[in-house]
Amino acid sequence: MSAARDAILARLRQAIGRTGEEQAKAVETVRARLDNPRPNLVPAHTRLDREGRVALFCEKALAVSAEVERLARLTDAPAAVSAFLRRHDLPQKMVMAPEPMLDLAEWEQQPLLRVRRGTAAPDDAVGLTVAVAGIAETGTLMLASSREQPTLLAFLPETVIALLQAEDIDGAYEDSWQRLREGLGRPPRSVNLVTGPSRTGDVGQKIELGAHGPRRLLVLVVEEAFGEAGDAPR
Amino acid sequence: MQPTSHAFKQNAHEALENPVLQEALGGIRTGWQAARGRAAGALPEFEQLRDTGRDIKNHVLAHLDLYLEAFTAKVEEAGGKVHWARDAAEARTIVLELCREADARTVTKSKSMIAEEIGLNPWLEANDVKPVETDLGEYIIQLAGQPPSHLVGPAVHMTKDEVSDLFHKHHGGERLEEGGALVGEARRVLRQRYLEADVGITGANFLVAETGSIITVTNEGNAELTQGLPRTHICIASIEKIVPTMEDAFTLLRLLARSATGQEFSAYTTVMTGPKREEDLDGPREFHLVLLDNGRSKMVGSAFQEMLRCIRCGACMNHCPVYLAAGGHAYGWVYVGPMGSVLTPQFVGIEEAHPLPNASTFCGRCEEVCPVRIPLPKLMRHWREEQFNRQLNPPAARYGLALWGFVARRPRLYRLATGMAVGAMRLLGGRQGRMRRLPLAGGWTGTRDMPAPQGPTFMQAWKKRRGAGS
């Protein structure tokens, strides 16, 4: 309805009431701000070296009821996942992002673990995906939708496992978003910033986990970059 | 919804007599209020961030026309459709048409105050589209047939016991008592609704001009399932939700959760840009954005412009002594607490909402905690002036004020009158020095005694001191 659009914009212009000169300046101000996005004040405690960022990320993620495990290399993931499922009395079965990099983990090491690739279906109990970044500030994962990384994997299953390279852990939200911006230009359809498992305080003001999204969240922080493992197929 | 703001006084009286409600409200003080204090204290830059947040919002409001044009162009570039709505009726019509185009029988909804503002649910129901709220708090009040009583926790006025009864009545089966079991049952029931829904409707916490993205913030993950499962996603948002860049959004996000629930960050902050891309494995095929004005463009440039900075965190109500005693329903419309006392008159008229700007002790805590530094008491005072000018307050109050004004502007008369009043009150106070009843102040003395003034008036004492000094 462009009549509504015109009416709303006309009323705003009238209320703001710029002169011709001011109008040109305002257009320039807005263009400059949108073309060169710059961070505002970023909290100082997020300015850390790599080990500091990894440590803060783990501390913050644990504080919001995520489970965190640090692994030396990607090929340690299958054993860690299998043990985690056993610990929680869950079947050795999961749906995993069709991300080719995940093949390098050598899932066949765990012959009892059944893995399906794709996005999550309503009856999938466990989903595994890859985070494109971790944000130390609040122990937050950044997931970005793509052909290889469907969004529902992190929301439909009751248990979600996310793999994260230690080198992808940034200090602040702005750092991760800038990397995404440089890598992709336009953001993907969905970017999910995930901080701990799903929760609600809507029943009697008491926090309960697993409201709609996952009840459990396991983050596997992998020290060695994916694909650097010596004998892994590429 | 039909407002009952005119009956605030009666509503508040009933709330004070309701022990279950008082118990629930007490939880806010020890819960969110205390948590906000801890979270704000733990971030050294918090006060500076509030200044930055205020400045971002002011900048946007000064350039709102330009940012709206930039934002909507980006939404369309990403494959979304933008629908502008001047008022509530226009917005409702647009949403219904979109639902009909999608052949929708049921729609899932994640929490949206704009949907409450435009009365979307009753409208959809009347037109054979079944809306299902998925935020657990909204789901609870939908079952109970009530409006929200809080911005962040719409069912905060209900205790766990009341939720047990409600679920038992609507879901059947065994009456569950444990919080985790109740949440689990809602999860199971609503999971099915997500899968059946033809359309998902969400609100937005922020609209990002740089990318044409919408940002939703939840703790439950319900926004993601609402927009991620059905074929069509409709987002309804008001025009002042714009921020220039993602960096600006992050600044405000650092303030939002800390101010609302005292969390450092909510569990899910999602940035959505357009519909499903061709190569994506999931996501909605269609993305529609309904941009609502509903009187906001008239607030720009007015005495109430600063209210448009509001990011709907609820800190003002969590810290308001009036809200914490009367609860949200007493305010009689969608927006409650101090922010509601400023906004509600805008939407339903000051004639209907005249008690609200007066439902404040002007203690100033709302302004003290507002993440974007909205001067809420000042804005309520504007409404009081408006009310006085339009002669909306009761005659006794108006004449009383006029009489006081007449006397106060005549110093000699004022001194004489206060001198006499002090003498009279001292007499009334008797030996105990306090009065159990005062004419015209029954409301005040109903719950406490009025202490009688001791000694002379200030002016008498001052005169005496000056006399002694010279």
Side-chain angles (χ1 to χ4, degrees), chain B residues 66 180 256 298 302:
Chain B
L66 299 170
L256 179 60
K298 279 191 199 133
S302 81

Side-chain angles (χ1 to χ4, degrees), chain B residues 195-241:
Chain B
L195 299 170
E196 291 162 1
D198 307 294
V199 171
I201 299 178
T202 70
N205 290 80
F206 303 100
L207 308 172
V208 187
E210 175 201 352
T211 53
S213 310
I214 70 160
I215 300 182
T216 58
V217 180
T218 76
N219 271 317
E220 300 181 359
N222 58 317
E224 289 72 12
L225 292 175
T226 298
Q227 56 90 9
L229 284 165
R231 197 178 177 281
T232 302
H233 172 203
I234 304 173
C235 169
I236 45 180
S238 50
I239 54 174
E240 86 284 10
K241 287 276 173 283

Side-chain angles (χ1 to χ4, degrees), chain A residues 11 13 18 33 40 44 60 119 137 152 156 174 181 189 191-193 195 198-200 202 205 212-213, chain B residues 24 45 62 65 69 134 137 187 191 210 219-220 227 247-248 251 254 267 269-271 273 282 297:
Chain A
R11 204 147 53 205
R13 287 192 190 112
R18 298 186 200 98
R33 185 142 174 171
N40 303 306
K60 290 292 185 182
T119 190
E137 185 171 358
L152 290 173
L156 272 179
E174 287 86 344
R181 189 187 267 141
R189 181 193 75 83
V191 178
N192 306 111
L193 299 172
T195 312
S198 159
R199 64 197 57 219
T200 182
D202 280 341
Q205 298 179 46
H212 289 287
Chain B
E45 292 91 347
D65 53 333
E69 286 176 320
T134 62
R187 177 190 176 100
R191 186 52 70 95
E210 175 201 352
N219 271 317
E220 300 181 359
Q227 56 90 9
E247 278 77 357
D248 296 318
T251 298
R254 280 195 183 94
T269 298
T270 286
V271 186
T273 312
D282 48 27
S297 61

Side-chain angles (χ1 to χ4, degrees), chain A residues 1 3-5 7-9 11-13 15-16 18 23 26-27 29-30 33-34 37-45 60 98 118-119 122 137-138 140 142 145-147 150-158 172-174 177-178 181 186-205 208-215, chain B residues 24 27-28 43 45 48-49 52 56 59 61-70 77-78 84-86 90 134-137 140 156 160 179-180 182-183 187 190-191 194-195 209-211 219-220 222 224-225 227 229 244-248 250-251 254 263-277 279-284 293 297 300:
Chain A
M1 250 188 251
R5 176 184 195 272
I8 294 168
L9 289 176
R11 204 147 53 205
L12 283 173
R13 287 192 190 112
I16 298 169
R18 298 186 200 98
Q23 176 68 15
V27 168
T29 306
V30 166
R33 185 142 174 171
L34 294 180
R38 246 172 276 159
N40 303 306
L41 175 68
V42 174
H45 74 274
K60 290 292 185 182
T119 190
E137 185 171 358
T138 44
T140 300
M142 184 189 265
S145 66
S146 68
R147 182 203 309 265
T151 301
L152 290 173
L153 268 180
F155 290 92
L156 272 179
E158 207 166 54
Y173 314 115
E174 287 86 344
W177 192 268
Q178 182 56 26
R181 189 187 267 141
R186 183 175 72 166
R189 181 193 75 83
S190 178
V191 178
N192 306 111
L193 299 172
V194 176
T195 312
S198 159
R199 64 197 57 219
T200 182
D202 280 341
V203 177
Q205 298 179 46
E208 300 287 350
L209 298 183
H212 289 287
R215 200 182 297 268
Chain B
I28 297 181
L43 185 64
E45 292 91 347
Q48 266 173 285
L49 283 167
T52 313
I56 292 168
H59 168 81
L61 292 173
H63 301 87
L64 190 53
D65 53 333
L66 299 170
Y67 279 121
L68 281 168
E69 286 176 320
E77 214 176 276
W84 299 68
R86 274 167 287 203
E90 214 162 65
T134 62
D135 170 81
L136 193 48
I140 290 168
V156 72
K160 192 181 71 186
L182 290 164
V183 172
R187 177 190 176 100
L190 285 170
R191 186 52 70 95
Y194 283 122
L195 299 170
E210 175 201 352
T211 53
N219 271 317
E220 300 181 359
N222 58 317
E224 289 72 12
L225 292 175
Q227 56 90 9
L229 284 165
T245 63
M246 278 304 298
E247 278 77 357
D248 296 318
F250 286 130
T251 298
R254 280 195 183 94
Q263 290 170 281
E264 291 186 335
F265 218 50
S266 301
Y268 299 109
T269 298
T270 286
V271 186
M272 297 171 232
T273 312
K276 173 182 182 297
R277 311 276 159 85
E279 69 278 10
D280 285 346
L281 296 182
D282 48 27
D293 180 348
S297 61
V300 174

Side-chain angles (χ1 to χ4, degrees), chain B residues 41-108:
Chain B
L43 185 64
E45 292 91 347
F46 192 72
E47 292 305 309
Q48 266 173 285
L49 283 167
R50 289 175 65 195
D51 292 338
T52 313
R54 172 199 60 204
D55 297 346
I56 292 168
K57 284 286 189 174
N58 282 346
H59 168 81
V60 167
L61 292 173
H63 301 87
L64 190 53
D65 53 333
L66 299 170
Y67 279 121
L68 281 168
E69 286 176 320
F71 168 71
T72 50
K74 284 287 180 184
V75 173
E76 279 159 7
E77 214 176 276
K81 267 206 85 182
V82 180
H83 310 262
W84 299 68
R86 274 167 287 203
D87 53 31
E90 214 162 65
R92 285 193 300 258
T93 307
I94 293 167
V95 173
L96 180 63
E97 270 173 28
L98 292 171
C99 289
R100 286 197 171 141
E101 273 170 35
D103 275 330
R105 288 210 317 232
T106 69
V107 305
T108 40

Side-chain angles (χ1 to χ4, degrees), chain B residues 289-303:
Chain B
L289 184 96
V290 182
L291 259 182
L292 176 72
D293 180 348
N294 210 19
R296 288 169 175 82
S297 61
K298 279 191 199 133
M299 288 168 73
V300 174
S302 81

Side-chain angles (χ1 to χ4, degrees), chain B residues 57 61 240 296 299-300 304-310:
Chain B
K57 284 286 189 174
L61 292 173
E240 86 284 10
R296 288 169 175 82
M299 288 168 73
V300 174
F304 296 102
Q305 171 166 325
E306 291 180 282
M307 195 59 221
L308 294 175
R309 291 206 296 264
C310 180

